[in-house]
């Protein structure tokens, strides 16, 4: 008889909730949820157009891991708002499911013998990548959206390469376990009582999770699952609002860009990096000093803000959608079309552009835009938002705003635009 | 001398399909892993994080909340059916704290204000209020249940 005080003894684990049904339900939820998160995560990387220019690429050593990259489209205008909103909101929502899943299988961590076969030994090593990878991805993601940059290095490579390490283990785990999980759920749905299914033969996958000496229950399995679902629902309703506006944003009580707006009036919508944070000196952006330098096939043109106002002005209704998962609804921007600026320096056909901010330090003060983005009639060098001059925090004197792209590519405080093939 | 419990009865190779799958998985993880370790400040810090979060969860967080739950069940004594009335609001409040700890604790308040132009003061207050509402709601449900139980109980016959 093994010592029940040791976690390696099955009798140490006494919760009557553990068992194949509980683990299988959570596993199937994570199978769908994490797959969707992985796909939306890869999509987000593609949305930066990293293969266009090194300034857009935070993981230049990706090798074959960027095999799927494609030219990011410039529509529909809400595209990145949707994909990244799903990525972040779903991630926050799945935290209780992940924790419950890990709780449900923790007896296996201590199970002896440590390995029954070579394959089993390797599977347990793979579980370190699976569990460590899942927690690493969730932790770095949750910290990053709260601006808590305590992880060792830049967020992008950690989260991107970490995702691939995790996903490698996740696929192996899913292939090995999904058939048993689905069998378990079918068996339960077919009306087999849980007790018979779990206490019985001990041949089905997950049966060893059932405590041989269960404590008196304080909650049913359904009740426990309800608690996990309730936790997810609470996180969802207190987070999702940061992708919406008005009273709905107020419902995101604890999300970083929920609650309220940073101010009122035309510029009173969410800001990713303020002018103060970016170190923008108001003397550099004033009317006397600031000039936009356009470079292209026919040479260089320098324009003041007054010069820009003489050019044909157009309006676009476009959202701001951040990699951190929050977004605003459409704002009404007014400015000069990017393709008109390209034409000023000799590019009548849409062409790539490198946009540089007057910001001197910090990530993404330069961004490369692809020809399809430059050519889109909705893409502007905006001078006004919601009928007023841009505020300093929204990029005065001029900022890029284009449809469907991640917020950081909409460069603020633009100083220089270089048109031409970037590759 | 290795204890018998650590040794399987018969050590075999295991399923060849499983071996192939795991080898493939390790190869891909290795391909991404060398890039992961090259990207951080120092590679050992990334390893520490990767392994550390797993250990922190399995050996600290999980035992802690399990112990708290056992203490709760112990304190409930014979009234085990009341445990959920404490467990549910505690779990929900704890989850919110776990996920939004940097904002609630105020540890990023300065950067948050500078970056977003908004004060981080409200997060702690909002979390406390949500917690209060959760426990108050649970208490109301418990009171209702106790009242109903009192009404349904047959009068004591002397």
């Amino acid at each position: 008889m093994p010592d029940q005080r040791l976690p390696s003894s099955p009798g140490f684990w006494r919760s009557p909730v553990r068992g194949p049904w509980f683990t299988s339900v959570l596993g199937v939820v994570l199978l769908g949820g994490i797959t969707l998160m992985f796909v939306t995560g890869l999509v987000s990387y593609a949305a930066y157009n990293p293969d266009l220019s090194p300034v857009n690429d935070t993981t230049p050593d990706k090798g074959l891991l960027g095999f799927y990259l494609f030219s990011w489209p410039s529509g529909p205008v809400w595209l990145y708002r949707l994909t990244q909103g799903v990525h972040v909101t779903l991630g926050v929502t799945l935290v209780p499911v992940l924790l419950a899943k890990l709780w449900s299988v923790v007896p296996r961590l201590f199970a002896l013998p440590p390995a029954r076969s070579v394959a089993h030994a390797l599977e347990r090593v793979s579980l370190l990548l699976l569990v460590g990878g899942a927690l690493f991805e969730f932790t770095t993601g949750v910290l990053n959206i709260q601006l808590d940059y305590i992880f060792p290095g830049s967020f992008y490579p950690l989260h991107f390469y970490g995702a691939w390490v995790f996903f490698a283990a996740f696929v192996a785990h899913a292939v090995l376990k999904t058939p048993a999980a689905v069998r378990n759920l079918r068996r339960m749905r077919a009306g087999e009582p849980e007790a018979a299914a779990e206490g019985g033969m001990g041949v089905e996958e997950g049966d060893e999770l059932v405590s041989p000496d269960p404590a008196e229950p304080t909650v049913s399995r359904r009740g426990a699952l309800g608690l996990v679902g309730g936790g997810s629902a609470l996180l969802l309703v207190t987070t999702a609002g940061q992708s919406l506006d008005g009273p709905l944003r107020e419902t995101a009580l604890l999300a970083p860009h929920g609650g309220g707006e940073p101010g009122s009036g035309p510029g009173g919508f969410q800001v990713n990096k303020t002018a103060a944070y970016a170190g923008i000196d108001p003397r550099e952006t004033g009317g006397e000093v600031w000039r936009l330098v356009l470079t292209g096939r026919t040479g260089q043109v320098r324009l003041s803000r007054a010069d820009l106002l003489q050019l044909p002005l157009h309006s676009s209704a476009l959202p701001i959608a951040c990699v951190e998962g929050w977004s605003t609804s459409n704002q009404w921007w007014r400015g000069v079309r990017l393709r008109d600026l390209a034409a000023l320096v000799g590019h009548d056909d849409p062409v790539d552009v490198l946009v540089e901010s007057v910001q001197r330090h910090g990530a993404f003060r330069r961004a490369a835009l692809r020809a399809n983005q430059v050519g889109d009639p909705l893409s502007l060098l905006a001078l006004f938002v919601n009928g007023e001059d841009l505020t300093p925090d929204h990029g005065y004197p001029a900022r890029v705003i284009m449809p469907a792209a991640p917020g950081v590519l909409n460069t603020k405080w633009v100083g220089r635009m270089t048109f031409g093939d970037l590759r | 001398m290795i204890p018998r419990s650590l040794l399987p009865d018969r050590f075999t190779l295991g399923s060849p399909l499983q071996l192939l799958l795991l080898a493939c998985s390790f190869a891909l993880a290795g391909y991404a892993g060398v890039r992961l370790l090259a990207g951080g400040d120092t590679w050992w810090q990334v390893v520490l994080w990767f392994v550390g979060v797993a250990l922190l969860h399995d050996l600290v967080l999980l035992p802690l909340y399990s112990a708290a739950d056992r203490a709760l069940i112990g304190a409930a004594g014979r009234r085990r059916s009341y445990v959920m009335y404490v467990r549910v609001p505690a779990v929900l409040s704890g989850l919110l704290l776990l996920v939004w700890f940097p904002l609630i604790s105020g540890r990023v308040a300065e950067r948050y204000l500078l970056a977003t132009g908004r004060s981080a003061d409200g997060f702690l207050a909002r979390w406390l209020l949500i917690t209060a509402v959760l426990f108050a709601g649970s208490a109301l449900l418990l009171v209702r249940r106790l009242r109903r139980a009192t009404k349904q109980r047959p009068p004591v016959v002397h």
Side-chain angles (χ1 to χ4, degrees):
Chain A
M1 181 73 190
D3 190 339
Q4 297 236 342
R5 287 168 304 180
L6 292 177
S8 52
S9 154
F12 176 86
W13 307 97
R14 300 198 57 206
S15 171
V17 172
R18 284 200 185 89
W21 183 75
F22 193 65
T23 299
S24 298
V25 172
L26 297 170
V28 167
V29 171
L30 287 176
L31 176 67
I34 285 180
T35 304
L36 186 52
M37 286 186 71
F38 184 69
V39 170
T40 49
L42 292 190
V43 160
S44 176
Y45 182 53
Y48 280 72
N49 279 330
D51 48 349
L52 177 64
S53 159
V55 304
N56 287 13
D57 197 358
T58 49
T59 49
D61 303 322
K62 60 194 174 293
L64 292 175
L65 300 180
F67 72 93
Y68 66 91
L69 290 176
F70 53 94
S71 291
W72 187 248
S74 62
V77 299
W78 41 260
L79 183 59
Y80 191 71
R81 195 181 175 199
L82 175 72
T83 62
Q84 196 58 9
V86 166
H87 182 76
V88 171
T89 310
L90 183 62
V92 170
T93 305
L94 284 181
V95 167
V97 185
L98 177 68
L99 293 178
K101 176 69 165 57
L102 294 178
W103 174 84
S104 80
V105 294
V106 75
R108 282 194 189 141
L109 177 68
F110 300 95
L112 293 178
R116 293 186 302 271
S117 63
V118 176
H120 185 232
L122 290 176
E123 192 190 330
R124 292 195 73 168
V125 175
S126 158
L127 286 179
L128 176 65
L129 297 182
L130 182 76
V131 175
L135 291 169
F136 183 82
E137 287 302 288
F138 274 79
T139 306
T140 49
V142 162
L143 288 173
N144 187 64
I145 62 173
Q146 296 177 76
L147 320 181
D148 199 353
Y149 309 127
I150 52 169
F151 29 75
S154 160
F155 171 72
Y156 289 90
L158 290 177
H159 203 64
F160 180 72
Y161 294 134
W164 276 106
V165 173
F166 165 60
F167 196 68
F170 177 77
V171 169
H173 187 71
V175 170
L176 290 174
K177 303 290 187 185
T178 305
V182 171
R183 259 201 318 278
N184 280 334
L185 295 181
R186 286 227 179 98
R187 210 167 44 154
M188 306 295 173
R189 194 181 292 171
E192 263 184 72
E194 282 185 18
E198 294 178 8
M201 287 69 74
V203 288
E204 266 300 327
E205 176 75 32
D207 280 0
E208 78 282 5
L209 291 172
V210 178
S211 174
D213 177 25
E216 196 187 325
T218 53
V219 58
S220 67
R221 287 203 177 96
R222 261 174 214 290
L225 204 60
L227 180 54
V228 177
S232 282
L234 179 66
L235 281 164
L236 175 66
V237 299
T238 52
T239 304
Q242 68 169 345
S243 301
L244 305 162
D245 268 332
L248 288 172
R249 189 179 294 277
E250 305 276 347
T251 63
L253 289 168
L254 295 172
H257 284 262
E261 302 293 357
S264 57
F269 56 96
Q270 297 294 314
V271 175
N272 180 36
K273 300 283 180 278
T274 63
Y277 188 86
I280 300 301
D281 186 341
R283 282 171 301 188
E284 276 188 274
T285 53
E288 300 300 310
V289 182
W290 183 82
R291 293 292 181 273
L292 174 67
V293 180
L294 302 176
T295 310
R297 203 163 49 82
T298 55
Q300 207 172 64
V301 175
R302 292 167 66 86
L303 300 168
S304 68
R305 199 166 189 274
D307 298 331
L308 284 168
L309 290 172
Q310 300 305 311
L311 297 172
L313 298 183
H314 296 271
S315 295
S316 300
L318 295 174
I320 296 269
C322 185
V323 68
E324 291 160 11
W326 59 270
S327 58
T328 74
S329 55
N330 288 351
Q331 310 294 328
W332 184 56
W333 309 91
R334 192 160 173 76
V336 184
R337 279 181 177 155
L338 296 186
R339 64 185 190 192
D340 292 350
L341 294 174
L344 279 182
V345 284
H347 295 282
D348 290 327
D349 291 323
V351 65
D352 304 339
V353 64
L354 177 70
V355 184
E356 294 169 88
S357 174
V358 301
Q359 181 185 351
R360 291 221 170 75
H361 306 284
F364 294 104
R365 61 187 187 279
R366 298 185 298 167
L369 317 183
R370 214 186 281 275
N372 67 321
Q373 295 172 318
V374 173
D376 195 290
L378 294 177
S379 299
L380 302 177
L381 182 73
L383 307 169
F384 305 95
V385 66
N386 300 325
E388 297 285 336
D389 277 347
L390 291 172
T391 61
D393 287 343
H394 285 301
Y396 181 88
R399 75 168 298 168
V400 169
I401 187 79
M402 60 180 165
V408 286
L409 295 187
N410 294 313
T411 310
K412 300 199 272 192
W413 315 290
V414 172
R416 184 180 290 272
M417 300 176 87
T418 309
F419 292 90
D421 198 350
L422 292 171
R423 273 180 293 182
Chain B
M1 181 69 188
I2 303 167
R4 272 197 66 82
S5 63
L6 289 178
L7 293 171
D9 299 334
R10 200 161 57 89
F11 202 75
T12 58
L13 201 59
S15 152
L17 214 62
Q18 191 174 347
L19 281 170
L20 285 176
L21 184 67
L22 288 169
C24 177
S25 160
F26 285 133
L28 176 57
Y31 187 85
V34 292
R35 288 162 171 79
L36 176 67
L37 298 185
D41 286 347
T42 46
W43 64 270
W44 60 268
Q45 279 188 27
V46 181
V47 173
L48 199 68
W49 263 71
F50 214 90
V51 178
V53 280
L55 292 182
L56 209 62
H57 172 269
D58 290 348
L59 302 180
V60 179
L61 182 66
L62 194 147
L64 270 181
Y65 72 70
S66 301
D69 196 57
R70 267 200 301 279
L72 172 65
I73 294 172
R78 286 190 300 108
R79 293 164 296 185
R80 295 175 75 87
S81 57
Y82 299 170
V83 162
M84 281 307 265
Y85 290 90
V86 180
R87 197 190 261 153
V88 171
V91 164
L92 295 180
S93 167
L95 269 173
L96 292 177
L97 180 64
L98 180 74
V99 171
W100 302 119
F101 183 77
L103 288 173
I104 291 172
S105 66
R107 49 174 277 117
V108 293
E110 210 172 310
R111 183 184 294 136
Y112 181 85
L113 174 64
L114 194 57
T116 68
R118 303 165 64 214
S119 162
D121 287 348
F123 288 103
L124 175 63
R126 288 203 286 271
W127 175 69
L128 288 172
L129 287 176
I130 293 171
T131 303
V133 168
L134 287 170
F135 276 99
S138 195
L140 279 178
L141 290 176
L142 180 59
V143 167
R144 210 178 63 174
R145 178 177 141 171
L146 290 175
R147 278 209 175 153
R148 206 175 288 163
T150 320
K151 274 182 196 159
Q152 282 168 1
R153 194 177 300 153
V156 181
V157 183
H158 289 282

